[in-house]
C-alpha cells in the first residue's frame, strides 16, 4: 500500500523511473503478502478489532495499485473487484468485532491503525471513479469520511483518557493524517467525473476542507513523533506519500503553483522514508536468514 502510494506521487511529478520501479515492487509483493496472510488466517482472532481493522490494508493496497495502473483497464477491473470483495467480506467482521465492546472498550483499544477502514473505503471511491461508476464512487467517498470521523473520535477520546498509552505512539498514528488525505484524493477523483454544477461544487468544497484537515494534522503528528520518539514504519510512509498525491490533486484543482511545491517536498520526504524502511526490512530479513542458517544443524 505504501509503495503504491509513493509510486503514484512519483508519477505525479514526472519521476517515471522511480514510479515504475516502485509499482513493480508493489505489484510483485501484493500477491506474496496475500498468500502469507491466507496461511496465517486461522491464527487471527476475528473478534478483536485490533485484528480485523488492520486487515483493511489488503483492500487499500488493491485500490492503490489499481489506481496506479488505471490505464490498464483489465488490471483495474480485477483489482477493484478484489478490493470490493474484500471490503464486503471484512466490513461485517469488523463491525461485529467492534459491536461486542462497549464504547469505553472501543476507546481503550482505539489506535491510528483503525483508520485503515476509512483508507480502504476511500480507496474504493477512487477506483470506482476511475471506472466511471459515479454513484458508488460518491457512496464510498462519503462513507469513507464518516468512518474516518468515527475512528478519529475514538482515538482522540483515548488520547484524552489515557494519552500515555504506548499504542498511541506507534508509526500507525500517522494514518490519522493519511486517512483524511486519501479522502481528499478520492474527492478529487469524484469531482472529475461529475457534471459541473452545484453538487460538483459542493464536492470540491469538501475536498478542500479535507485537505485542510490533513494539513492541520501534520504539525501535531510531527510534535508527537519527536516528543514520544515515534519510529518509522510502513504505516508512516503511506500517509506521507498520500499527502503528496492529495496536495498535487489540489494543485490541479486550483492551479496554484505552491501546491505543487508542497507536494514535491512531501514526495521526497515519503521516498526517503520508503528507502529507510525498506532498507531496514531488508537488513532484518538477512539477519533472520543468517540466524536460521546458524541454528540449522545441517549447515
Amino acid at each position: 500500500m505504501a509503495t503504491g502510494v509513493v509510486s503514484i506521487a512519483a508519477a505525479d511529478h514526472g519521476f517515471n523511473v522511480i514510479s515504475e520501479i516502485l509499482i513493480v515492487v508493489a505489484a510483485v509483493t501484493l500477491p506474496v503478502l496475500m498468500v502469507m496472510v491466507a496461511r496465517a488466517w486461522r491464527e487471527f482472532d476475528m473478534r478483536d478489532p485490533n485484528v480485523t481493522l488492520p486487515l483493511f490494508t489488503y483492500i487499500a493496497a488493491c485500490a492503490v495499485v489499481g489506481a496506479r495502473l488505471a490505464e490498464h483497464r483489465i488490471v483495474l477491473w480485477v483489482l477493484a473487484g478484489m478490493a470490493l470483495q474484500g471490503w464486503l467480506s471484512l466490513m461485517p467482521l469488523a463491525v461485529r468485532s467492534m459491536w461486542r465492546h462497549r464504547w469505553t472498550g472501543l476507546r481503550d483499544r482505539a489506535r491510528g491503525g483503525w483508520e485503515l477502514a476509512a483508507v480502504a473505503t476511500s480507496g474504493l471511491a477512487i477506483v470506482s471513479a476511475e471506472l466511471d461508476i459515479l454513484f458508488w464512487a460518491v457512496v464510498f467517498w462519503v462513507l469513507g469520511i464518516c468512518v474516518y470521523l468515527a475512528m478519529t473520535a475514538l482515538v482522540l477520546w483515548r488520547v484524552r483518557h489515557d494519552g500515555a498509552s504506548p499504542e498511541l505512539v506507534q508509526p500507525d498514528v500517522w494514518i490519522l493524517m493519511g486517512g483524511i488525505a486519501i479522502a481528499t484524493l478520492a474527492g478529487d477523483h469524484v469531482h472529475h467525473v461529475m457534471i459541473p454544477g452545484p453538487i460538483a461544487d459542493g464536492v470540491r468544497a469538501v475536498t478542500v476542507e479535507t485537505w485542510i484537515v490533513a494539513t492541520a494534522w501534520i504539525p501535531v503528528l510531527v510534535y508527537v513523533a519527536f516528543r514520544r520518539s515515534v519510529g518509522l514504519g510502513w504505516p508512516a510512509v503511506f500517509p506521507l506519500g498520500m499527502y503528496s498525491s492529495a496536495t498535487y490533486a489540489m494543485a490541479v484543482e486550483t492551479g496554484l503553483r505552491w501546491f505543487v511545491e508542497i507536494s514535491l517536498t512531501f514526495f521526497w520526504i515519503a521516498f526517503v522514508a520508503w528507502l529507510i524502511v525498506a532498507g531496514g526490512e531488508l537488513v532484518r530479513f538477512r539477519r533472520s536468514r543468517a540466524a536460521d542458517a546458524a541454528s540449522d544443524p545441517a549447515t
Side-chain angles (χ1 to χ4, degrees):
M1 180 179 70
T3 304
V5 166
V6 178
S7 174
I8 292 173
D12 288 339
H13 293 284
F15 300 121
N16 295 325
V17 174
I18 295 175
S19 181
E20 293 293 337
I21 292 173
L22 290 177
I23 195 56
V24 169
V25 172
V28 170
T29 54
L30 178 58
V32 174
L33 293 174
M34 289 169 59
V35 171
M36 293 174 62
V37 171
R39 288 180 175 178
W41 187 265
R42 293 183 179 180
E43 301 176 11
F44 295 155
D45 182 3
M46 304 305 287
R47 298 171 298 176
D48 184 357
N50 279 325
V51 173
T52 57
L53 293 171
L55 286 174
F56 278 93
T57 304
Y58 158 72
I59 301 161
C62 290
V64 167
V65 174
R68 172 59 182 82
L69 300 174
E71 66 273 18
H72 306 289
R73 303 304 286 181
I74 294 178
V75 175
L76 176 58
W77 273 105
V78 170
L79 289 173
M82 290 168 58
L84 179 60
Q85 185 277 330
W87 191 91
L88 291 174
S89 299
L90 189 56
M91 185 57 77
L93 297 175
V95 171
R96 186 185 305 171
S97 69
M98 296 181 70
W99 189 264
R100 61 191 302 268
H101 298 286
R102 296 179 181 272
W103 283 109
T104 52
L106 292 175
R107 176 201 64 193
D108 295 339
R109 291 170 173 79
R111 56 186 299 171
W114 285 24
E115 301 286 7
L116 286 165
V119 170
T121 307
S122 292
L124 280 172
I126 292 173
V127 292
S128 297
E130 289 283 0
L131 293 169
D132 296 322
I133 308 174
L134 179 58
F135 174 78
W136 288 110
V138 173
V139 169
F140 283 122
W141 177 58
V142 173
L143 186 57
I145 293 175
C146 291
V147 174
Y148 174 82
L149 293 174
M151 297 303 182
T152 302
L154 287 170
V155 173
L156 292 178
W157 188 16
R158 185 175 185 181
V159 169
R160 182 177 179 182
H161 177 73
D162 182 21
S165 173
E167 287 186 336
L168 294 173
V169 290
Q170 298 299 313
D172 65 7
V173 70
W174 281 91
I175 308 179
L176 287 164
M177 183 268 281
I180 197 67
I182 193 173
T184 300
L185 191 60
D188 175 72
H189 278 69
V190 169
H191 182 255
H192 282 172
V193 297
M194 296 187 80
I195 299 173
I199 297 178
D201 292 341
V203 170
R204 186 173 184 272
V206 174
T207 300
V208 173
E209 292 172 2
T210 57
W211 181 84
I212 292 173
V213 173
T215 303
W217 270 114
I218 294 174
V220 176
L221 294 172
V222 169
Y223 172 80
V224 172
F226 282 97
R227 179 80 174 182
R228 302 290 295 275
S229 300
V230 177
L232 271 178
W234 294 122
V237 176
F238 158 74
L240 295 170
M242 182 53 67
Y243 184 79
S244 172
S245 189
T247 304
Y248 187 85
M250 291 296 300
V252 174
E253 284 283 343
T254 63
L256 297 176
R257 178 66 189 177
W258 57 272
F259 275 116
V260 178
E261 300 301 328
I262 295 174
S263 175
L264 181 59
T265 299
F266 272 87
F267 160 70
W268 285 115
I269 293 172
F271 183 56
V272 170
W274 187 92
L275 291 174
I276 292 172
V277 175
E281 293 285 349
L282 183 59
V283 169
R284 281 191 288 271
F285 175 75
R286 294 183 64 179
R287 287 178 177 173
S288 176
R289 291 292 297 273
D292 291 342
S295 61
D296 188 351
T299 61

